[in-house]
Amino acid sequence: MSQLPTEAQRRRRTPVFSTSPDGAVNITTNCPDQLRELFGTQTREAAFSLMHSAISALGKSGENDRDLLAAMAVEIEPRDGIEAMLVVQMTATHTAMTEMTRRMVDTSGGYQVRESLERSITRLSRTYLAQIKALKKHRAKVQQTVRVERVTVKSGGQAVVGNVQHGGRSQHEG
């Protein structure tokens, strides 16, 4: 008797992509919530839209990179919609950067073509690094915790733990 996979195991599975003769991309999933779990979104609609935009960003020549997109979602494990969007953007940026690199290596176009491709690669590389930084910054905010080890209050003193806000001056103050 086989055991049912846990949610974490199901989440790690990637959808299967195929292309129909008319060029439509078909996505086969194991369960209705597989894309939602893959992208860490609250709704199926958000997950479906992210997958659609990712496939569109990869373009017609990106058929071989679809599996990379799903695999990166498994690797990075986005926890919310913002992280999922960054995974999609990072994968598209990486794919574009490697495509430009391939074109540069294979070019017979001369100096100007090669220089233009190098500039594009540099811009894409900077964009990719900015996306990584944004992901780290977003995750740091989500995971930020404050731990108080010791609080000492002397006789007659008061200790406040939590958010303290100053309300400003009231209208009755002089």
Side-chain angles (χ1 to χ4, degrees):
M1 183 172 160
S2 68
Q3 274 188 317
L4 292 174
T6 64
E7 185 167 342
Q9 289 168 328
R10 258 196 338 264
R11 186 177 186 189
R12 287 221 171 256
R13 291 187 188 155
T14 59
V16 176
F17 300 99
S18 61
T19 306
S20 67
D22 65 349
V25 177
N26 299 309
I27 304 169
T28 305
T29 59
N30 296 325
C31 67
D33 284 332
Q34 187 175 2
L35 290 180
R36 188 187 61 74
E37 292 170 356
L38 181 71
F39 285 121
T41 59
Q42 296 295 313
T43 64
R44 291 179 188 167
E45 294 81 7
F48 177 80
S49 294
L50 282 165
M51 184 59 78
H52 181 268
S53 65
I55 289 171
S56 296
L58 294 174
K60 291 180 182 182
S61 64
E63 188 172 328
N64 295 329
D65 296 313
R66 293 178 195 146
D67 289 330
L68 174 64
L69 167 68
M72 292 314 300
V74 169
E75 292 294 326
I76 297 173
E77 295 183 328
R79 299 177 196 144
D80 59 28
I82 292 172
E83 290 185 14
M85 286 189 278
L86 282 167
V87 168
V88 168
Q89 292 170 13
M90 290 167 66
T91 304
T93 302
H94 169 78
T95 302
M97 188 169 45
T98 56
E99 173 63 21
M100 290 292 139
T101 302
R102 185 196 59 75
R103 287 182 188 177
M104 185 182 71
V105 169
D106 293 344
T107 190
S108 59
Y111 172 75
Q112 291 174 332
V113 172
R114 187 174 188 84
E115 188 173 296
S116 174
L117 289 167
E118 285 176 359
R119 280 195 306 273
S120 294
I121 293 165
T122 299
R123 288 185 196 122
L124 288 165
S125 179
R126 287 183 185 141
T127 299
Y128 186 75
L129 292 173
Q131 291 164 335
I132 291 172
K133 186 177 179 180
L135 179 62
K136 285 182 178 182
K137 185 175 181 179
H138 178 73
R139 282 192 170 172
K141 285 182 181 178
V142 171
Q143 295 179 353
Q144 187 175 33
T145 57
V146 176
R147 185 172 159 183
V148 178
E149 292 287 336
R150 184 181 348 180
V151 176
T152 305
V153 181
K154 302 283 184 183
S155 177
Q158 294 180 340
V160 177
V161 178
N163 291 333
V164 178
Q165 296 179 350
H166 186 276
R169 294 178 60 174
S170 73
Q171 293 176 343
H172 301 293
E173 289 180 16

